[in-house]
Amino acid sequence: MQKTDADELRQADAQRRLTWQAVRDLRLRALPVALAVVVALVVGVGIGVALYPHLPLPGTLATLPGRTSVTERELDMPLGSYTYDGETTWVSVREAIEETSSLEAAQNADGTYDIPSVEAVLSVARNHFLLLDADAQGIAVSDDEVATYMQDTWGTDDVATLAKDYRMTEDGVRELMRRSALLRKLRDEVVTTEALKEPRVPPVPEEGMEGYATQEYATYILELVGDEWDASANWWARDEGPFRDQLINFSISNEGATYAAAQAAYFVARSQYAAVEQQIAKEWSTYVNQILSEVTVELGTLVC
């Protein structure tokens, strides 16, 4: 029985349902909702943490029952601390806010500031020791590397644009981008899993053209499947493979393929990308845990 366009669309929908769960978390993590996401780089780091809901650190905000915000005069109050080799460093409300934002952007309409979360204090400590580790290894970034990092991550290397968008100073953005690029370079140095290029979404066809096979979609698919396709034979190079297994029922050739086939190929590539990114995150977290294994963080905030 000849396969119809409707059949191919149903096949793409089935593939999308199968792979969506695997890539959903990755896609959410990739959203640039705040600059802090880039700086932190780590999810679920096992740092030595001591919470004191009943015995708060002296002078911290946990001594102010029911408070969820502070005034400008209270910005330099200690929010937590981290200790290494017997030396304790305090983290103020101001520092915790500026780890993820700018004071201007964080200020509420009434002039107050929301108390930063636990993660903000952890991020200050984490980044401090990771930057020290990068320096100890002689890892540095040039202006060109920072610009490339910005372009790849944010789609622009225009400091003024980012400063305006995030209501930060240009100097603040430059320093944040330098640290972010340096941490990314450190990660790339210590992680052994080779990253994959993130697949692009296939272009949506014009209305009424969804079922037509085009060279554009054939080229798109064959770039994704790589050596699973034998161009000289105009057919699959092997009897099995992740792309072949999902696309075998689609009509694909060197000359043409449909949008539905391109969608199916995209979700296979996206699934592979997600799996590799998860492995990279696992390796990176393990490395960070080793760096921070002797660090103790004490938190005076009850905001999660």
Side-chain angles (χ1 to χ4, degrees):
M1 181 180 295
Q2 185 174 5
K3 193 174 184 66
T4 66
D5 295 337
D7 291 332
E8 292 197 347
L9 288 172
R10 282 194 294 271
Q11 175 74 13
D13 287 340
Q15 173 62 27
R16 182 161 50 249
R17 287 193 298 272
L18 288 172
T19 59
W20 177 251
Q21 183 64 38
V23 304
R24 183 186 61 179
D25 291 341
L26 178 67
R27 296 184 69 181
L28 289 174
R29 288 202 306 274
L31 291 174
V33 295
L35 293 176
V37 174
V38 180
V39 178
L41 289 177
V42 183
V43 176
V45 172
I47 196 169
V49 178
L51 292 176
Y52 294 98
H54 301 298
L55 297 173
L57 298 172
T60 63
L61 296 179
T63 63
L64 304 176
R67 291 288 298 274
T68 59
S69 62
V70 296
T71 65
E72 186 170 358
R73 294 177 60 184
E74 295 170 319
L75 284 173
D76 291 317
M77 294 181 66
L79 187 61
S81 68
Y82 54 90
T83 302
Y84 176 75
D85 198 21
E87 182 177 347
T88 298
T89 301
W90 293 91
V91 179
S92 69
V93 177
R94 183 189 305 274
E95 289 174 303
I97 289 175
E98 290 181 338
E99 184 70 14
T100 63
S101 179
S102 67
L103 290 179
E104 180 185 357
Q107 190 175 46
N108 297 320
D110 62 0
T112 63
Y113 301 84
D114 292 337
I115 295 175
S117 69
V118 164
E119 173 56 30
V121 181
L122 293 176
S123 183
V124 172
R126 180 169 55 225
N127 291 333
H128 172 79
F129 288 102
L130 287 174
L131 291 170
L132 287 179
D133 182 58
D135 184 63
Q137 295 191 48
I139 297 174
V141 287
S142 65
D143 290 344
D144 287 343
E145 287 176 312
V146 174
T148 298
Y149 167 82
M150 292 173 62
Q151 189 67 50
D152 291 345
T153 306
W154 302 101
T156 180
D157 59 4
D158 188 338
V159 171
T161 296
L162 289 176
K164 181 180 179 181
D165 289 345
Y166 291 94
R167 298 167 65 187
M168 299 177 68
T169 66
E170 292 189 15
D171 285 343
V173 170
R174 288 190 185 93
E175 175 59 17
L176 186 57
M177 291 297 105
R178 185 194 69 80
R179 288 192 296 153
S180 300
L182 185 56
L183 290 177
R184 176 58 61 84
K185 189 172 182 178
L186 173 64
R187 191 198 73 170
D188 292 344
E189 289 283 340
V190 302
V191 170
T192 59
T193 299
E194 185 176 352
L196 297 178
K197 182 179 180 181
E198 185 174 7
R200 60 183 177 87
V201 178
V204 178
E206 296 180 5
E207 186 175 356
M209 300 295 291
E210 294 86 354
Y212 287 88
T214 68
Q215 180 67 63
E216 179 183 19
Y217 290 130
T219 300
Y220 171 88
I221 291 170
L222 298 186
E223 286 178 354
L224 289 180
V225 304
D227 63 6
E228 283 192 44
W229 184 262
D230 184 347
S232 61
N234 204 11
W235 190 244
W236 298 100
R238 298 183 292 275
D239 291 336
E240 60 181 16
F243 284 98
R244 181 193 181 282
D245 292 346
Q246 296 299 326
L247 296 173
I248 188 62
N249 292 322
F250 289 91
S251 178
I252 299 172
S253 70
N254 293 335
E255 294 76 29
T258 63
Y259 175 58
Q263 283 184 303
Y266 167 76
F267 283 107
V268 174
R270 189 78 202 189
S271 180
Q272 293 179 334
Y273 175 78
V276 169
E277 287 297 299
Q278 288 167 0
Q279 178 60 31
I280 289 174
K282 182 179 179 180
E283 288 187 41
W284 176 235
S285 293
T286 299
Y287 182 82
V288 173
N289 288 345
Q290 294 172 347
I291 296 295
L292 301 179
S293 61
E294 298 181 16
V295 180
T296 297
V297 176
E298 293 184 344
L299 304 169
T301 175
L302 303 181
V303 180
C304 296

